[in-house]
Amino acid sequence: MSIVCIIPARYASSRYPGKPLATLRGPTGSEKTLIERSWRAACEVADFDAVYVATDDTRIADHAESFGAKVLMTSTEARNGTERCAEALEQLGDDVEIIVNLQGDAPLTPPWFLSALVAGLRADPDAALATPILRCDGETLAALKADRAAGRVGGTTAVADASMRALYFSKEVIPFTAQTYADDADTPVFHHVGVYAYRPDALRAYPTWPVGPLETLEGLEQLRFLEAGQVVRCVEVAAQGRKFWELNNPEDVPRIEAMLAEMGLP
């Protein structure tokens, strides 16, 4: 049984059209697109037997093939990355144990996040999927709050129960805390890392479930699992000194380029 990573990518985006092809400059001056950096991050994970880019756009497909990625073409009907992964799964046959969805806007995802995610799903046989969460330090929490105050979505936060099963995900900063934290201090807020590991049966069922009010309001695909009564396993991961941020808005490009430079990533 294999573990495959699928990177869903679409050109059309209400907040950032063409985002997968946005160029990020590394500290050496090397320019790579967002989708290439995400693919290279996935290729660093030893747990994966194969890595694919799933897209409905020939511009993205042609570019992905130019740097060596395997591409699965999907329809324009997929409403989010999980639905696109479900379409891609149908092209891969039955010999798949776990499907990891590494969203193409998260090129700074450390490989140990993804390994921990696979282990977390295997450890919870009742879970339909697993997703990583990262405890915010004071600096990250302040950045999330600043983005929301400016009307931008800077990231998603997660709340889990005592057994690390998800209670809710939100583009708001939850839980609320009025406390001020030092930049390097731990906070009670967890940043949801937009990566998922699915069991095949749950992923195949996902497109058949109705889109509920919470998914509609928040615009978060993982809420469909919760609204359908599925168990979502949260796996706490540690940054180990690595900075992490998703590219959600054009304004995030210089922030991520600065993180690339800080970490010495080409």
Side-chain angles (χ1 to χ4, degrees):
M1 298 291 281
S2 62
I3 300 174
V4 300
C5 177
I6 298 174
I7 305 173
R10 66 188 183 106
Y11 192 90
S13 170
S14 57
R15 289 203 307 259
Y16 196 166
K19 182 171 67 170
L21 301 181
T23 300
L24 295 170
R25 185 186 297 272
T28 63
S30 172
E31 292 187 341
K32 296 184 181 71
T33 59
L34 182 62
I35 190 67
E36 181 175 357
R37 289 189 179 278
S38 298
W39 176 80
R40 292 189 182 280
C43 289
E44 293 181 20
V45 182
D47 300 75
F48 296 159
D49 297 297
V51 178
Y52 299 91
V53 172
T55 185
D56 60 356
D57 192 281
T58 56
R59 289 165 290 188
I60 295 172
D62 291 345
H63 175 63
E65 289 175 342
S66 76
F67 58 74
K70 298 177 182 178
V71 175
L72 298 171
M73 295 303 297
T74 55
S75 75
T76 58
E77 304 303 314
R79 292 170 288 187
N80 57 43
T82 298
E83 289 193 1
R84 197 169 305 284
C85 286
E87 284 191 25
L89 175 61
E90 296 310 308
Q91 302 178 46
L92 297 179
D94 297 326
D95 190 32
V96 178
E97 176 194 0
I98 292 173
I99 307 93
V100 174
N101 170 355
L102 173 62
Q103 301 199 62
D105 57 6
L108 298 179
T109 305
W112 59 88
F113 282 21
L114 303 173
S115 297
L117 187 60
V118 170
L121 183 60
R122 283 175 165 164
D124 191 344
D126 294 326
L129 73 157
T131 193
I133 59 174
L134 179 65
R135 186 180 293 275
C136 291
D137 58 19
E139 181 182 8
T140 303
L141 178 57
L144 290 172
K145 288 183 174 181
D147 276 333
R148 294 305 297 129
R152 298 188 298 268
V153 177
T156 298
T157 56
V159 176
D161 66 15
S163 62
M164 295 300 289
R165 291 181 172 182
L167 295 173
Y168 197 61
F169 300 90
S170 183
K171 290 179 179 176
E172 294 294 344
V173 182
I174 57 172
F176 170 78
T177 172
Q179 184 175 336
T180 299
Y181 299 88
D183 283 354
D184 60 350
D186 285 344
T187 77
V189 177
F190 284 91
H191 182 190
H192 173 239
V193 182
V195 186
Y196 306 95
Y198 316 100
R199 298 193 191 282
D201 289 347
L203 182 57
R204 291 189 180 99
Y206 179 88
T208 70
W209 298 329
V211 177
L214 299 178
E215 181 184 356
T216 301
L217 288 168
E218 294 272 8
L220 295 174
E221 64 204 88
Q222 66 269 34
L223 289 175
R224 196 181 310 180
F225 288 96
L226 291 181
E227 292 188 89
Q230 301 293 305
V231 173
V232 178
R233 178 78 175 190
C234 289
V235 178
E236 185 175 355
V237 293
Q240 300 181 28
R242 283 274 292 265
K243 295 290 186 181
F244 176 85
W245 201 265
E246 298 166 1
L247 200 158
N248 293 299
N249 310 284
E251 296 88 345
D252 292 327
V253 170
R255 177 183 287 169
I256 292 180
E257 287 181 335
M259 290 179 180
L260 291 170
E262 184 178 340
M263 292 183 287
L265 296 176

